[in-house]
Amino acid sequence: MQLWDNFLTELEKDFGKETIDKWLRSLVVTRFDAANLHLKAHDSFQANWFEEHIKERAALSLINSNGKPIKVKIDISCTTNPCTVNMHVNIHIIAFA
């Protein structure tokens, strides 16, 4: 998705390519439409890092062609056995003008 890729490239200027590759490029885009971007995180650490460092920037930068904010929803995939993290965590980002 071009908008997401452009956003990540812009973030590299402040965080560095290595940091963005580790924490954000490994998020998997599972679905996208004009109003929602669904991402899958590898674990809760990755989702929390997004929440702490990127959420506000995304709210300001991820705007659709109609000028409306795109909601970002992050699901966490559970890769440990037994699973010790919540299977689904949604982070909703809504920009307010």
Side-chain angles (χ1 to χ4, degrees):
M1 181 195 125
Q2 189 66 40
L3 180 65
W4 177 246
D5 290 336
N6 291 345
F7 178 61
L8 296 181
T9 300
E10 191 63 31
L11 289 173
E12 287 178 358
K13 295 174 184 174
D14 293 326
F15 291 95
K17 183 174 178 4
E18 192 173 303
T19 300
I20 296 306
D21 286 349
K22 176 181 179 178
W23 291 105
L24 299 178
R25 288 208 195 275
S26 58
L27 289 168
V28 177
V29 177
T30 58
R31 202 166 67 227
F32 174 71
D33 59 47
N36 300 286
L37 172 61
H38 296 264
L39 302 170
K40 185 169 281 191
H42 295 289
D43 54 35
S44 60
F45 295 112
Q46 188 177 32
N48 289 334
W49 194 90
F50 183 95
E51 172 80 19
E52 185 176 329
H53 299 283
I54 304 302
K55 180 180 178 178
E56 290 181 24
R57 287 180 181 223
L60 297 173
S61 299
L62 297 177
I63 306 296
N64 68 21
S65 59
N66 293 327
K68 302 216 185 237
I70 295 171
K71 296 177 189 173
V72 176
K73 300 176 182 182
I74 298 182
D75 291 323
I76 299 172
S77 11
C78 184
T79 57
T80 59
N81 194 3
C83 185
T84 56
V85 297
N86 293 333
M87 291 298 288
H88 299 284
V89 174
N90 289 320
I91 298 171
H92 300 279
I93 298 171
I94 302 173
F96 296 97

